[in-house]
mmCIF file of all heavy atoms in Angstrom:
data_model
loop_
_atom_site.group_PDB
_atom_site.id
_atom_site.type_symbol
_atom_site.label_atom_id
_atom_site.label_comp_id
_atom_site.label_asym_id
_atom_site.label_seq_id
_atom_site.Cartn_x
_atom_site.Cartn_y
_atom_site.Cartn_z
ATOM 1 N N ARG Y 172 1.959 51.523 -59.362
ATOM 2 C CA ARG Y 172 0.941 50.526 -59.737
ATOM 3 C C ARG Y 172 1.538 49.124 -59.693
ATOM 4 O O ARG Y 172 0.889 48.174 -59.251
ATOM 5 C CB ARG Y 172 0.366 50.852 -61.115
ATOM 6 C CG ARG Y 172 -0.560 52.079 -61.049
ATOM 7 C CD ARG Y 172 -1.097 52.483 -62.386
ATOM 8 N NE ARG Y 172 -1.791 51.388 -63.049
ATOM 9 C CZ ARG Y 172 -2.256 51.456 -64.283
ATOM 10 N NH1 ARG Y 172 -2.112 52.595 -64.976
ATOM 11 N NH2 ARG Y 172 -2.869 50.428 -64.819
ATOM 12 N N TRP Y 176 0.515 45.915 -57.014
ATOM 13 C CA TRP Y 176 0.184 44.526 -57.375
ATOM 14 C C TRP Y 176 1.011 43.516 -56.597
ATOM 15 O O TRP Y 176 0.483 42.565 -56.037
ATOM 16 C CB TRP Y 176 0.417 44.273 -58.872
ATOM 17 C CG TRP Y 176 -0.644 44.792 -59.776
ATOM 18 C CD1 TRP Y 176 -0.473 45.635 -60.841
ATOM 19 C CD2 TRP Y 176 -2.044 44.501 -59.740
ATOM 20 N NE1 TRP Y 176 -1.674 45.878 -61.456
ATOM 21 C CE2 TRP Y 176 -2.652 45.195 -60.797
ATOM 22 C CE3 TRP Y 176 -2.831 43.710 -58.905
ATOM 23 C CZ2 TRP Y 176 -4.027 45.125 -61.046
ATOM 24 C CZ3 TRP Y 176 -4.209 43.647 -59.152
ATOM 25 C CH2 TRP Y 176 -4.789 44.357 -60.206
ATOM 26 N N GLU Y 195 -13.474 33.110 -36.825
ATOM 27 C CA GLU Y 195 -14.255 31.855 -36.761
ATOM 28 C C GLU Y 195 -14.982 31.786 -35.419
ATOM 29 O O GLU Y 195 -14.369 31.860 -34.354
ATOM 30 C CB GLU Y 195 -13.318 30.653 -36.921
ATOM 31 C CG GLU Y 195 -13.876 29.310 -36.430
ATOM 32 C CD GLU Y 195 -15.133 28.833 -37.188
ATOM 33 O OE1 GLU Y 195 -15.159 28.941 -38.423
ATOM 34 O OE2 GLU Y 195 -16.088 28.356 -36.520
ATOM 35 N N SER Y 216 -0.087 33.574 -45.409
ATOM 36 C CA SER Y 216 -0.356 34.562 -44.353
ATOM 37 C C SER Y 216 0.891 35.354 -43.945
ATOM 38 O O SER Y 216 0.788 36.272 -43.143
ATOM 39 C CB SER Y 216 -0.914 33.859 -43.107
ATOM 40 O OG SER Y 216 0.083 33.048 -42.496
ATOM 41 N N GLN Y 234 -2.176 54.960 -51.739
ATOM 42 C CA GLN Y 234 -3.607 54.704 -51.609
ATOM 43 C C GLN Y 234 -4.312 54.475 -52.948
ATOM 44 O O GLN Y 234 -5.058 53.513 -53.105
ATOM 45 C CB GLN Y 234 -4.275 55.880 -50.872
ATOM 46 C CG GLN Y 234 -5.685 55.550 -50.395
ATOM 47 C CD GLN Y 234 -6.485 56.795 -50.022
ATOM 48 O OE1 GLN Y 234 -6.024 57.918 -50.203
ATOM 49 N NE2 GLN Y 234 -7.672 56.590 -49.499
ATOM 50 N N ARG Y 245 -10.902 42.143 -55.762
ATOM 51 C CA ARG Y 245 -12.212 41.723 -55.252
ATOM 52 C C ARG Y 245 -13.097 41.200 -56.386
ATOM 53 O O ARG Y 245 -13.888 40.274 -56.197
ATOM 54 C CB ARG Y 245 -12.909 42.865 -54.519
ATOM 55 C CG ARG Y 245 -14.181 42.375 -53.836
ATOM 56 C CD ARG Y 245 -14.797 43.396 -52.950
ATOM 57 N NE ARG Y 245 -15.161 44.596 -53.685
ATOM 58 C CZ ARG Y 245 -15.723 45.665 -53.123
ATOM 59 N NH1 ARG Y 245 -15.936 45.669 -51.830
ATOM 60 N NH2 ARG Y 245 -16.016 46.718 -53.844
ATOM 61 N N ASP Y 249 -14.784 37.637 -56.413
ATOM 62 C CA ASP Y 249 -16.220 37.445 -56.630
ATOM 63 C C ASP Y 249 -16.466 36.443 -57.757
ATOM 64 O O ASP Y 249 -17.368 35.602 -57.673
ATOM 65 C CB ASP Y 249 -16.896 38.786 -56.944
ATOM 66 C CG ASP Y 249 -17.064 39.632 -55.687
ATOM 67 O OD1 ASP Y 249 -16.932 39.086 -54.580
ATOM 68 O OD2 ASP Y 249 -17.323 40.839 -55.812
ATOM 69 N N ARG Y 274 1.438 32.385 -63.273
ATOM 70 C CA ARG Y 274 2.390 32.680 -62.184
ATOM 71 C C ARG Y 274 3.827 32.584 -62.661
ATOM 72 O O ARG Y 274 4.690 33.296 -62.156
ATOM 73 C CB ARG Y 274 2.144 31.712 -61.017
ATOM 74 C CG ARG Y 274 3.014 32.004 -59.796
ATOM 75 C CD ARG Y 274 2.591 31.168 -58.613
ATOM 76 N NE ARG Y 274 3.421 31.464 -57.457
ATOM 77 C CZ ARG Y 274 4.470 30.736 -57.072
ATOM 78 N NH1 ARG Y 274 4.807 29.668 -57.772
ATOM 79 N NH2 ARG Y 274 5.179 31.086 -56.019
ATOM 80 N N ARG M 172 -14.403 22.295 -41.919
ATOM 81 C CA ARG M 172 -14.400 23.749 -41.717
ATOM 82 C C ARG M 172 -12.986 24.239 -41.423
ATOM 83 O O ARG M 172 -12.569 25.306 -41.889
ATOM 84 C CB ARG M 172 -15.373 24.132 -40.601
ATOM 85 C CG ARG M 172 -16.827 24.009 -41.091
ATOM 86 C CD ARG M 172 -17.834 24.323 -40.009
ATOM 87 N NE ARG M 172 -17.642 25.635 -39.422
ATOM 88 C CZ ARG M 172 -18.312 26.083 -38.371
ATOM 89 N NH1 ARG M 172 -19.210 25.296 -37.803
ATOM 90 N NH2 ARG M 172 -18.097 27.286 -37.898
ATOM 91 N N TRP M 176 -10.519 26.826 -43.855
ATOM 92 C CA TRP M 176 -9.791 28.026 -43.433
ATOM 93 C C TRP M 176 -8.317 27.993 -43.806
ATOM 94 O O TRP M 176 -7.786 28.957 -44.348
ATOM 95 C CB TRP M 176 -9.872 28.196 -41.909
ATOM 96 C CG TRP M 176 -11.148 28.753 -41.380
ATOM 97 C CD1 TRP M 176 -11.934 28.217 -40.414
ATOM 98 C CD2 TRP M 176 -11.792 29.977 -41.779
ATOM 99 N NE1 TRP M 176 -13.034 29.005 -40.193
ATOM 100 C CE2 TRP M 176 -12.975 30.092 -41.002
ATOM 101 C CE3 TRP M 176 -11.488 30.969 -42.716
ATOM 102 C CZ2 TRP M 176 -13.845 31.179 -41.146
ATOM 103 C CZ3 TRP M 176 -12.357 32.041 -42.860
ATOM 104 C CH2 TRP M 176 -13.510 32.139 -42.083
ATOM 105 N N GLU M 195 -4.030 43.054 -65.312
ATOM 106 C CA GLU M 195 -3.567 44.446 -65.428
ATOM 107 C C GLU M 195 -3.596 44.866 -66.900
ATOM 108 O O GLU M 195 -2.977 44.228 -67.745
ATOM 109 C CB GLU M 195 -2.144 44.582 -64.861
ATOM 110 C CG GLU M 195 -1.372 45.809 -65.326
ATOM 111 C CD GLU M 195 -1.984 47.150 -64.875
ATOM 112 O OE1 GLU M 195 -2.370 47.268 -63.707
ATOM 113 O OE2 GLU M 195 -2.070 48.069 -65.730
ATOM 114 N N ASP M 214 5.552 34.047 -52.097
ATOM 115 C CA ASP M 214 4.939 33.244 -51.040
ATOM 116 C C ASP M 214 3.414 33.345 -51.060
ATOM 117 O O ASP M 214 2.721 32.347 -50.877
ATOM 118 C CB ASP M 214 5.453 33.683 -49.662
ATOM 119 C CG ASP M 214 6.901 33.255 -49.460
ATOM 120 O OD1 ASP M 214 7.456 32.593 -50.364
ATOM 121 O OD2 ASP M 214 7.482 33.589 -48.418
ATOM 122 N N SER M 216 1.481 33.939 -53.516
ATOM 123 C CA SER M 216 0.870 33.355 -54.725
ATOM 124 C C SER M 216 1.160 31.857 -54.867
ATOM 125 O O SER M 216 0.646 31.229 -55.786
ATOM 126 C CB SER M 216 1.389 34.081 -55.975
ATOM 127 O OG SER M 216 2.772 33.801 -56.173
ATOM 128 N N ARG M 245 -14.368 37.594 -47.710
ATOM 129 C CA ARG M 245 -14.727 38.776 -48.498
ATOM 130 C C ARG M 245 -15.194 39.918 -47.601
ATOM 131 O O ARG M 245 -14.940 41.088 -47.879
ATOM 132 C CB ARG M 245 -15.797 38.447 -49.536
ATOM 133 C CG ARG M 245 -16.001 39.632 -50.480
ATOM 134 C CD ARG M 245 -16.916 39.330 -51.626
ATOM 135 N NE ARG M 245 -18.239 38.922 -51.169
ATOM 136 C CZ ARG M 245 -19.224 38.589 -51.983
ATOM 137 N NH1 ARG M 245 -19.026 38.609 -53.274
ATOM 138 N NH2 ARG M 245 -20.383 38.226 -51.501
ATOM 139 N N ASP M 249 -13.604 43.524 -47.577
ATOM 140 C CA ASP M 249 -14.399 44.744 -47.732
ATOM 141 C C ASP M 249 -14.117 45.731 -46.602
ATOM 142 O O ASP M 249 -14.018 46.939 -46.833
ATOM 143 C CB ASP M 249 -15.893 44.402 -47.780
ATOM 144 C CG ASP M 249 -16.297 43.812 -49.123
ATOM 145 O OD1 ASP M 249 -15.515 43.945 -50.087
ATOM 146 O OD2 ASP M 249 -17.384 43.219 -49.213
ATOM 147 N N GLN M 258 -9.296 56.420 -45.283
ATOM 148 C CA GLN M 258 -8.015 56.893 -44.741
ATOM 149 C C GLN M 258 -7.965 56.804 -43.217
ATOM 150 O O GLN M 258 -7.410 57.676 -42.545
ATOM 151 C CB GLN M 258 -7.747 58.335 -45.193
ATOM 152 C CG GLN M 258 -7.952 58.504 -46.700
ATOM 153 C CD GLN M 258 -7.316 59.774 -47.223
ATOM 154 O OE1 GLN M 258 -7.072 60.719 -46.472
ATOM 155 N NE2 GLN M 258 -7.030 59.795 -48.504
ATOM 156 N N ARG M 274 -1.637 35.865 -35.921
ATOM 157 C CA ARG M 274 -0.981 34.825 -36.740
ATOM 158 C C ARG M 274 -0.152 33.872 -35.878
ATOM 159 O O ARG M 274 -0.001 32.701 -36.210
ATOM 160 C CB ARG M 274 -0.105 35.498 -37.797
ATOM 161 C CG ARG M 274 0.550 34.501 -38.753
ATOM 162 C CD ARG M 274 1.246 35.206 -39.881
ATOM 163 N NE ARG M 274 1.864 34.275 -40.804
ATOM 164 C CZ ARG M 274 3.150 33.923 -40.767
ATOM 165 N NH1 ARG M 274 3.948 34.465 -39.871
ATOM 166 N NH2 ARG M 274 3.634 33.068 -41.627
#
Side-chain angles (χ1 to χ4, degrees):
Chain Y
R172 287 177 56 186
W176 282 125
E195 161 62 43
S216 68
Q234 194 196 5
R245 187 172 60 180
D249 284 345
R274 184 171 180 262
Chain M
R172 286 178 56 187
W176 282 127
E195 160 64 45
D214 288 358
S216 68
R245 189 173 59 181
D249 284 344
Q258 311 197 338
R274 184 172 180 263

